[in-house]
Amino acid sequence: MTTTDSREPAAARAGEVWKVYGTGEARVVALRGVSAEFERGRFTAIMGPSGSGKSTLMHCLAGLDTVDRGEVHVGGTKITGMGDKALTRLRRDRVGFIFQQFNLLPTLSAQENIRLPLDIAGRKPDPQWWDIVIDTVGLRDRLSHRPSQLSGGQQQRVACARALIGRPDVIFADEPTGNLDSRSGAEILSFLRASVREHNQTIVMVTHDPVAASYADRVVFLADGAIVDELTGPTPETVLDMMKRLDTHAEPVML
Amino acid sequence: MLRATLKSLLARKLRLILSGLAVVLGVMFVAGAFVVTDTLSKSFDSLFASAYSTTDVGVTAKPKVAVSEFEGEEVVTPLPASALAQVRGVPGVKSAAGLVDADGARVIGSDGKVLTSVGPPRIGSAWAGTDDLVQLREGRGPTADDEFVVNATVAKAAGIKVGDRVGVLTLEPKKEFKLVGIYGYSGDRDSLGGVQEVAFTEPVAQKLMLGQTGVYSSVRVQAEPGVTPEALRDRIAATLGDGYVTKTGDQLVADTSADLQAGLGFFTNILLGFAGVALFVGIFLILNTFSIIVAQRTRELALMRALGASRRQMIGSVLVEAVVIGLIASVLGLAAGVGVGALLAYLFNSFAGGGMQLGTVGVPLTAIISSFVVGVLVTVVAAVLPALRASRIAPVAAMQDVATPDRPLTKVSVAGGVVTAAGATGLGLGLFADMGDATLWTILAGVLVSFIGIALLTPLISRPVVSAIGRLFSWSLPGRLGRLNSGRNPRRTAITAAALMVGIALVTGVTVVMDSAKASLKAEAATILKAEVVISGDQNGPRPPTYDPAVLRDTAKIPGVRAVAGLWNDQVTINGENHYVNATDNLAGLKDAFGNTAVGTPSTLRDDQLAVSVPEAQDYGWQVGTKLTIQPARGDPREYTIAAVYPEDSLPGSYVLPVAAAKDFGITQPTMGFVRLADGYAVSQVLPQVKALLADSPEVSAQDAQAFVDEQAATFDTLITMIQILLALAILIAVLGVINTLALSVLERTRELGLLRAVGLGRAQTMRMVTVEAVVISVFGALLGVVVGAGMGTAVTRALKSDGITELVLPWERMGTYLVLAALVGVIAAVLPAIRAARLNVLGAIAHD
């Protein structure tokens, strides 16, 4: 939906990104010169042990956090150095979010929650796309329910629909299945994969679950703030292998 | 346990400061009331000690008409020269001086206006030379009958200097005197306690201030060495016999000071009223804060229970917090109260007292004790309910991650209904049943209990009403979110709004009554008053404004004037009882002015006749021909015969005497006048001429009837304004409550705010969302207040129907203003929480637990 030039820039791109927290003794380098591209129409997972900087990378890519050095682009736009107003507008119009905690507004119905980003922007949903999204997440009969009347899996599906409805350049998902049982988790993941494959959406997902990562087209591995490897066409086994190889002294990877 | 409590207290400093502020304000007014009274009392004592420093014994004549503080100023009964001679003959008297001083010498300033006084008298006296107390600053004492001196306060206020010719109004109309000197008092004081004093030669002072020469207002006695004032007092009293009041200097100091302090009682009551309102509203605030704190700490409290804390310990832990807050608030309130008290004493002294030397600021023990009792008690009372709630938290809540479900509102609503009914019953009893002395208290209690009841009912109505109000703002997404947020916690919204309700309900209620009274007055005046032109003035001191009776004679000669009637008035005793009476020089004219066509009223009164109103005659069983003994302020009692009984309101007041009676009144000049025009003449033709005649009577002016009625009605506006200022305080405290609630809401919804910001809600939109929530809560409170206030005001107005308030006026415009103001208040209250919400770090907010 956004106009792009002929070179089709990546949906999101990090160039030599550094991120440092604290000073002196408490200084922690979260990202040390990370460069990565996330192509359009692809489902990318970012993996890594706790403290590897995967969440920080995603926050920087999404314009939620600032970088200390380097540049971040979303679509063809450089977002590094943007003010709050421009960043807010970027998040509203060109980025979608899915969180581990669902983060739905309890006062709004499912339908209102899904429409929220459009309402904030003062836009109307495209009715065709609306139907596609609602049917894909299978929420048509639950639209008037409040979040408290929905199960965890249903709530996360509402959150996914909310992220998709604006057809953003890229959707960032932060451990989207972390709070769900495995069946609901699998539903969400298949649904995310379907929206990439069938509807040409772009998703960047942070996870430490190898099964979740295996739904992606490509997995990027982070350790100690740097990209150390990547896999294309992953399976749970290959991902787990890679993780084991990457960091032997890190805490055991959850299954 | 205690340590845990104190730790959690410290962790929520800001919250507690906000809610404690209401208690601080309340305590401040309580302490301030005591401090200002104490400070001024001490200052009065030292002032009069100074004024009476040269007096061992003082003698005055017993007043002929004893007048209470509320009835007006007592008229000095003069003491004959023979009494002075008698006192001089008493053994042990070293010297006895006859003094002449009385209230009512009104100086006309260089701007042609009469010097006004807010309280202290305007004394005219006989010049007695300088002494230890009185010191000439400029010029000399008066020696000729057309000379006078003034104290420095008068000279400054009037803008006059030695050599000027100055007009003075006394018992007689304006007379001009040459100012020959200006005096002050020991210690370089311009005045004693703000008193405006002028002094003439003795015969002039006697004539102008006491009504006749050769008399004195009091005798100041100094004792010979070795004679105690008490012994001398008793000797003088025995010599003079009945009819005189003899006091020692110390007694005079104590009595005069006590008189003035009684006047301060009003002042104290206003401050205590402030305190009461502040504390009542404060209770809502504290209750709300504690409820929220308990709700927020549910897990923590449940954990304590799980670890073995008993229910009593839970209650104790919350109450200890309340006591600590109460204590801190009391200390702060007391300190602020001492400041406010000192400030008020200073202001009082500068504006009303004028140049009194203030004693040191006194902090009486009563101030300290009542501050702490009030502060701690109010806080603890407000915390009881939340404490009980805390004790009911089940230990298992520590393990569950469920938001506290909405508790049903049935119980609280039933309780609210019962309490409201009880309050309404009390109000009804107070208004409509005869409760005697308890009436005022019954009404007050009824109002308070009703407020509590309505506050309990508020959660029930909050959902639909808040939702309806919110619809006004729903046109935008932030508005809609704000509306939804304000409906989320009906209890919290309700109690916040209820705090605002109290202040606005009180203002609205009072306004309804006042506006109704005003409309009734206007309606009544329009039907009663037929005079086209009215002569009257603003009363700006203890004595009413007067004018030269010659004006009446001259006005009658103006072409187009059909009738002129002057009105004199004073307190007299009739058959031994105090009554307020009028006298007129033209009964026919007065009848004309009041449209009295009652058969049987004569058109003139002989000098020994009077007219009495029907209700008064019925009360006492009098009729035409009954003889009454009337004692005026001066002279001897006289017998009058009732010549007419007139229907109420067909003549002014309840008694009308002939003008001859007025020469013995305390104020011997007319205070009002009524002019009727002949047919075919317009007010505009006559009014300027009447005004011209009043040039030498600057205290009064002539107006057309409509302007006069409007002016009378305007006094109600002043009252309404005063009440509004008083209750602005209550509203201010309620605003603190709104801020508090919003700040908590923002804190609780950190995560949601973060999400909204993450999906693209701008800072301005975030602020708008919070603001709408505040405005909705405020408008809800104001709406409740306006409705409740209008209801209570209507009830009171209806109850006063028999007392002459026949009209019922609902001040729509003012009520609308209150609603708009409330919206504004909401916007202001939202500023800080909104900024906080907008500044929220998006990332931190999403990660917030």
Side-chain angles (χ1 to χ4, degrees):
Chain A
M1 48 172 274
T2 39
T3 53
T4 50
D5 60 32
S6 53
R7 282 180 291 120
E8 264 292 325
R13 181 158 61 83
E16 276 297 306
V17 167
W18 286 74
K19 179 75 192 173
V20 181
Y21 293 109
T23 50
E25 298 255 323
R27 197 177 127 104
V28 176
V29 182
L31 298 176
R32 36 184 100 231
V34 173
S35 296
E37 286 211 4
F38 302 90
E39 308 93 307
R40 283 181 189 281
R42 295 262 277 179
F43 186 176
T44 313
I46 302 177
M47 282 209 78
S50 298
S52 60
K54 56 187 190 300
S55 288
T56 306
L57 176 61
M58 193 201 81
H59 291 150
C60 289
L61 286 169
L64 289 172
D65 210 345
T66 53
V67 301
D68 292 321
R69 221 185 309 155
E71 283 181 2
V72 174
H73 289 78
V74 170
T77 318
K78 176 180 157 194
I79 67 164
T80 312
M82 271 186 171
D84 178 74
K85 241 191 186 139
L87 280 176
T88 302
R89 174 155 296 205
L90 173 99
R91 291 198 299 263
R92 191 182 80 188
D93 297 334
R94 296 172 57 186
V95 177
F97 289 102
I98 302 167
F99 302 96
Q100 183 176 359
Q101 305 284 0
F102 322 143
N103 277 347
L104 301 179
L105 284 197
T107 46
L108 300 181
S109 67
Q111 170 162 356
E112 289 168 322
N113 264 297
I114 295 170
R115 289 181 50 137
L116 189 62
L118 295 178
D119 282 345
I120 290 175
R123 298 204 316 249
K124 288 244 175 312
D126 165 6
Q128 233 178 324
W129 179 239
W130 171 268
D131 284 337
I132 293 172
V133 170
I134 298 301
D135 288 334
T136 327
V137 292
L139 281 169
R140 198 165 281 285
D141 56 338
R142 290 263 184 277
L143 281 179
S144 58
H145 287 49
R146 290 281 160 93
S148 56
Q149 297 163 314
L150 299 173
S151 72
Q154 287 169 330
Q155 288 189 48
Q156 193 62 308
R157 280 192 269 157
V158 172
C160 291
R162 180 178 66 194
L164 281 164
I165 198 70
R167 279 203 262 210
D169 286 5
V170 54
I171 293 172
F172 293 102
D174 188 359
E175 304 274 10
T177 55
N179 261 11
L180 299 174
D181 59 75
S182 53
R183 226 195 72 201
S184 308
E187 267 172 33
I188 293 289
L189 289 163
S190 329
F191 164 65
L192 288 180
R193 185 167 59 190
S195 60
V196 171
R197 300 238 166 110
E198 291 157 33
H199 304 297
N200 199 34
Q201 296 298 299
T202 310
I203 294 177
V204 176
M205 172 177 78
V206 164
T207 182
H208 58 245
D209 173 4
V211 177
S214 68
Y215 281 82
D217 303 318
R218 169 183 168 222
V219 185
V220 175
F221 293 92
L222 247 73
D224 287 332
I227 292 180
V228 288
D229 213 333
E230 69 169 80
L231 264 177
T232 328
T235 65
E237 292 71 31
T238 55
V239 174
L240 192 53
D241 275 356
M242 184 73 87
M243 291 292 287
K244 278 180 181 155
R245 242 184 308 141
L246 270 180
D247 205 334
T248 42
H249 63 267
E251 60 265 65
V253 176
M254 266 172 45
L255 257 177
Chain B
M1 195 74 198
L2 189 65
R3 258 188 60 195
T5 304
L6 294 180
K7 278 243 167 91
S8 71
L9 246 175
L10 276 177
R12 291 183 312 274
K13 282 185 295 268
L14 188 72
R15 186 104 321 107
L16 298 170
I17 286 171
L18 265 178
S19 52
L21 212 52
V23 182
V24 171
L25 284 174
V27 171
M28 178 182 87
F29 284 108
V30 172
F34 283 108
V35 169
V36 69
T37 314
D38 192 69
T39 306
L40 287 179
S41 304
K42 278 205 253 166
S43 310
F44 282 140
D45 284 347
S46 79
L47 169 70
F48 292 113
S50 159
Y52 289 112
S53 57
T54 54
T55 307
D56 286 328
V57 176
V59 183
T60 54
K62 252 187 201 151
K64 301 215 164 169
V65 180
V67 173
S68 82
E69 202 191 319
F70 299 104
E71 289 169 323
E73 199 74 353
E74 202 159 73
V75 175
V76 174
T77 301
L79 202 126
S82 59
L84 176 60
Q86 268 181 299
V87 172
R88 284 188 171 137
V90 173
V93 171
K94 184 176 142 207
S95 69
L99 304 183
V100 181
D101 57 55
D103 186 14
R106 290 144 291 158
V107 174
I108 300 171
S110 54
D111 58 355
K113 293 207 174 96
V114 173
L115 249 60
T116 57
S117 160
V118 213
R122 292 171 286 191
I123 286 182
S125 64
W127 179 246
T130 56
D131 53 27
D132 287 350
L133 184 64
V134 178
Q135 293 158 356
L136 260 181
R137 289 191 184 168
E138 241 185 280
R140 56 174 175 82
T143 50
D145 284 356
D146 67 340
E147 295 177 344
F148 83 138
V149 290
V150 301
N151 71 11
T153 295
V154 173
K156 281 178 187 164
I160 51 177
K161 53 187 189 301
V162 171
D164 286 353
R165 293 197 67 79
V166 180
V168 184
L169 306 170
T170 55
L171 286 179
E172 292 184 13
K174 177 183 165 187
K175 274 196 160 56
E176 283 205 344
F177 294 87
K178 190 177 165 202
L179 183 64
V180 295
I182 295 170
Y183 61 97
Y185 303 85
S186 60
D188 207 27
R189 287 173 286 177
D190 287 352
S191 159
L192 293 180
V195 172
Q196 301 173 6
E197 189 173 303
V198 303
F200 310 97
T201 58
E202 187 174 280
V204 173
Q206 289 168 333
K207 182 83 182 35
L208 296 185
M209 302 313 303
L210 302 177
Q212 64 188 105
T213 52
V215 294
Y216 299 96
S217 55
S218 66
V219 174
R220 181 175 68 199
V221 182
Q222 283 179 308
E224 281 188 358
V227 183
T228 65
E230 287 75 19
L232 192 59
R233 173 196 61 195
D234 295 345
R235 259 184 252 166
I236 294 172
T239 309
L240 289 176
D242 264 0
Y244 294 91
V245 181
T246 317
K247 288 175 178 172
T248 64
D250 290 347
Q251 275 180 306
L252 283 169
V253 172
D255 291 357
T256 329
S257 184
D259 271 0
L260 274 178
Q261 284 170 35
L264 284 179
F266 176 67
F267 206 50
T268 314
N269 284 343
I270 289 185
L271 286 175
L272 290 178
F274 268 118
V277 171
L279 291 169
F280 186 68
V281 177
I283 287 181
F284 285 84
L285 214 67
I286 296 167
L287 176 67
N288 205 18
T289 307
F290 272 95
S291 305
I292 295 169
I293 288 173
V294 167
Q296 283 180 340
R297 286 168 63 206
T298 302
R299 282 189 84 153
E300 184 189 327
L301 292 169
L303 182 69
M304 285 198 188
R305 290 277 282 143
L307 293 178
S310 70
R311 293 186 110 184
R312 278 225 343 238
Q313 278 174 309
M314 305 307 297
I315 296 178
S317 116
V318 175
L319 290 187
V320 164
E321 272 190 42
V323 170
V324 172
I325 295 169
L327 281 176
I328 294 172
S330 300
V331 171
L332 294 178
L334 181 60
V338 173
V340 165
L343 182 72
L344 284 175
Y346 170 77
L347 291 177
F348 179 85
N349 195 33
S350 323
F351 293 109
M356 184 165 72
Q357 276 173 334
L358 276 184
T360 47
V361 173
V363 184
L365 195 61
T366 43
I368 299 172
I369 295 174
S370 45
S371 294
F372 280 98
V373 169
V374 164
V376 173
L377 209 67
V378 161
T379 321
V380 170
V381 163
V384 164
L385 273 180
L388 287 176
R389 199 168 302 148
S391 76
R392 292 206 196 103
I393 295 172
V396 70
M399 322 320 169
Q400 294 167 334
D401 187 28
V402 281
T404 30
D406 270 354
R407 282 165 295 134
L409 296 170
T410 331
K411 242 199 210 150
V412 76
S413 301
V414 169
V418 171
V419 175
T420 309
T425 312
L427 191 61
L429 272 180
L431 288 176
F432 294 101
D434 185 16
M435 302 284 291
D437 292 341
T439 306
L440 185 65
W441 291 112
T442 318
I443 294 177
L444 269 181
V447 169
L448 282 190
V449 174
S450 305
F451 277 146
I452 295 172
I454 293 164
L456 288 173
L457 281 176
T458 310
L460 189 69
I461 47 175
S462 99
R463 230 190 265 272
V465 177
V466 162
S467 165
I469 296 172
R471 244 166 244 291
L472 293 174
F473 305 96
S474 294
W475 42 266
S476 73
L477 179 84
R480 226 174 70 224
L481 290 172
R483 171 190 156 220
L484 289 172
N485 282 340
S486 56
R488 271 166 92 160
N489 194 327
R491 280 163 201 268
R492 196 185 297 175
T493 301
I495 205 156
T496 310
L500 195 57
M501 167 195 79
V502 172
I504 290 183
L506 286 174
V507 187
T508 310
V510 172
T511 309
V512 168
V513 176
M514 293 286 168
D515 277 3
S516 299
K518 188 169 137 187
S520 307
L521 178 84
K522 278 192 175 182
E524 197 179 300
T527 53
I528 293 171
L529 190 65
K530 298 284 184 283
E532 285 89 352
V533 173
V534 178
I535 300 170
S536 70
D538 277 342
Q539 180 150 0
N540 50 27
R543 301 169 72 86
T546 60
Y547 62 96
D548 189 345
V551 171
L552 292 168
R553 202 180 51 229
D554 296 337
T555 303
K557 291 180 195 150
I558 298 172
V561 171
R562 184 166 84 200
V564 188
L567 205 64
W568 286 252
N569 32 51
D570 200 9
Q571 292 279 338
V572 298
T573 62
I574 298 177
N575 291 352
E577 275 181 51
N578 273 24
H579 288 282
Y580 188 77
V581 300
N582 290 312
T584 184
D585 57 340
N586 182 356
L587 187 63
L590 199 59
K591 282 167 59 179
D592 198 1
F594 281 75
N596 179 358
T597 48
V599 188
T601 313
S603 53
T604 54
L605 287 171
R606 288 206 316 265
D607 284 359
D608 62 349
Q609 289 182 325
L610 85 163
V612 181
S613 75
V614 170
E616 205 75 359
Q618 279 172 350
D619 271 6
Y620 288 98
W622 297 333
Q623 53 211 2
V624 172
T626 305
K627 289 188 189 323
L628 308 175
T629 305
I630 298 184
Q631 169 67 65
R634 294 173 219 280
D636 294 321
R638 276 193 69 154
E639 199 163 79
Y640 290 80
T641 308
I642 296 179
V645 175
Y646 59 87
E648 200 177 15
D649 293 333
S650 66
L651 283 174
S654 298
Y655 298 91
V656 179
L657 273 66
V659 70
K663 73 176 195 324
D664 284 335
F665 279 3
I667 294 144
T668 52
Q669 291 171 67
T671 57
M672 286 183 78
F674 302 94
V675 180
R676 284 231 65 174
L677 304 187
D679 292 340
Y681 282 88
V683 171
S684 57
Q685 290 170 286
V686 176
L687 188 56
Q689 301 183 59
V690 181
K691 280 186 168 162
L693 289 174
L694 288 168
D696 274 346
S697 301
E699 280 191 306
V700 300
S701 63
Q703 294 170 297
D704 63 60
Q706 190 57 48
F708 169 73
V709 170
D710 288 348
E711 192 182 272
Q712 300 298 303
T715 31
F716 288 105
D717 292 335
T718 319
L719 259 169
I720 292 175
T721 309
M722 278 171 62
I723 296 274
Q724 280 174 332
I725 292 172
L726 193 140
L727 295 170
L729 175 83
I731 294 167
L732 177 80
I733 294 176
V735 172
L736 291 180
V738 178
I739 297 178
N740 200 8
T741 300
L742 278 178
L744 286 167
S745 302
V746 167
L747 194 73
E748 279 181 352
R749 297 177 202 146
T750 302
R751 201 173 235 298
E752 273 173 59
L753 284 164
L755 165 87
L756 281 165
R757 297 276 290 129
V759 297
L761 197 71
R763 285 208 165 124
Q765 286 174 307
T766 311
M767 290 180 72
R768 230 160 74 206
M769 180 180 81
V770 177
T771 305
V772 164
E773 184 176 354
V775 169
V776 168
I777 295 178
S778 305
V779 171
F780 175 50
L783 196 67
L784 272 178
V786 163
V787 169
V788 170
M792 285 182 177
T794 305
V796 172
T797 306
R798 283 281 163 255
L800 290 174
K801 201 167 187 176
S802 56
D803 294 318
I805 303 189
T806 47
E807 310 276 316
L808 174 64
V809 178
L810 290 178
W812 296 112
E813 207 176 299
R814 274 190 230 269
M815 281 150 61
T817 313
Y818 296 150
L819 288 180
V820 173
L821 269 178
L824 225 83
V825 155
V827 172
I828 293 168
V831 169
L832 284 177
I835 289 178
R836 192 167 165 177
R839 286 233 182 107
L840 217 72
N841 178 309
V842 181
L843 202 54
I846 298 170
H848 178 89
D849 243 329

